[in-house]
Amino acid sequence: MLKVEDVHVYYGAIHAIKGISLEVPQGQIVTLIGANGAGKTSTLNTICGFIKPKTGKIFFEGKDITNLATQDIVKQGLTQVPEGRRIFANMPIYENLELGAYLNRNKKEVAQRMEKVYAKFPRLLERKNQLAGSLSGGEQQMLAMGRALMSNPRLLLLDEPSMGLSPILVKEIFSIIKELNEQGTTILLVEQNAKMALSIAHKGYVVETGRIVLAGEAKELLESPEVKKAYLGG
């Protein structure tokens, strides 16, 4: 579904992404794991069109999207839930969700999608008129995911969904991610919690200093001595 071919990204003179290539098959969860600053978020932001690569190509469902504007990439069916959630704190929950469907002018369709999001995240329905900034960290993550789902994506990019959450909420968020995948959404997951990410993923890539240093089936990576030592606490 998604193919990234030998992508290089620079921030000025800094060579942030050094020839990353990866594939996300339809219907799977693929995870990128690695330390802070490894280049995981930069990779997602390049796929989404926020950053343009100096060289390399990105294909979504066979179509070259390397130089498309972000809104045109969203129209193709690819949406990102950003690191840090980036909700609109001073707006009610329902307005945050409506913004996720800003490309859709069909009010009936938008209402149907909103119902689906509320069915998946009942807490958002209970609090729909509350300001988004009054939600807990876990609820804000649910809102960010719900907002992304409003664009009806076929591929969802998730950037550090467990960041700053309690262990109980982390389990809940990962359970939701797995459920979304089982219902047909393909997922590319960037996550520092390597153990949780690999436990729900089909495939994994280990990113270090802008390069992929290991790749394989998620179960294999969970058992890999290198991965255990570097990311799983031995």
Side-chain angles (χ1 to χ4, degrees), residues 90-180:
N90 296 321
M91 291 169 64
I93 287 164
Y94 75 89
E95 285 187 3
N96 270 266
L97 291 175
E98 284 172 351
L99 282 170
Y102 77 99
L103 290 172
N104 192 333
R105 297 286 174 257
N106 185 321
K107 287 184 179 179
K108 190 178 176 184
E109 265 183 35
V110 172
Q112 286 169 344
R113 285 184 196 170
M114 189 91 82
E115 279 178 29
K116 282 184 181 176
V117 169
Y118 284 146
K120 191 162 294 300
F121 303 106
R123 268 178 273 181
L124 299 183
L125 177 59
E126 289 164 19
R127 298 161 168 74
K128 68 177 184 178
N129 294 308
Q130 269 181 236
L131 294 182
S134 68
L135 296 175
S136 70
E139 289 163 349
Q140 288 186 17
Q141 185 61 50
M142 289 174 196
L143 176 57
M145 289 168 72
R147 181 180 61 190
L149 292 174
M150 288 293 291
S151 69
N152 205 25
R154 292 190 299 288
L155 175 60
L156 190 61
L157 310 186
L158 294 168
D159 195 357
E160 302 286 6
S162 76
M163 186 184 279
L165 301 185
S166 68
I168 289 172
L169 280 172
V170 169
K171 276 189 176 177
E172 189 174 350
I173 290 296
F174 274 89
S175 171
I176 291 165
I177 293 167
K178 199 173 177 191
E179 192 181 299
L180 283 173

Side-chain angles (χ1 to χ4, degrees), residues 18 22-23 30 49 72 86 91 93 127 137 182 188 207:
K18 301 164 185 169
L22 61 88
E23 290 185 1
V30 175
D72 294 321
R86 308 272 180 92
M91 291 169 64
I93 287 164
R127 298 161 168 74
E182 284 165 357
L188 177 57
V207 185

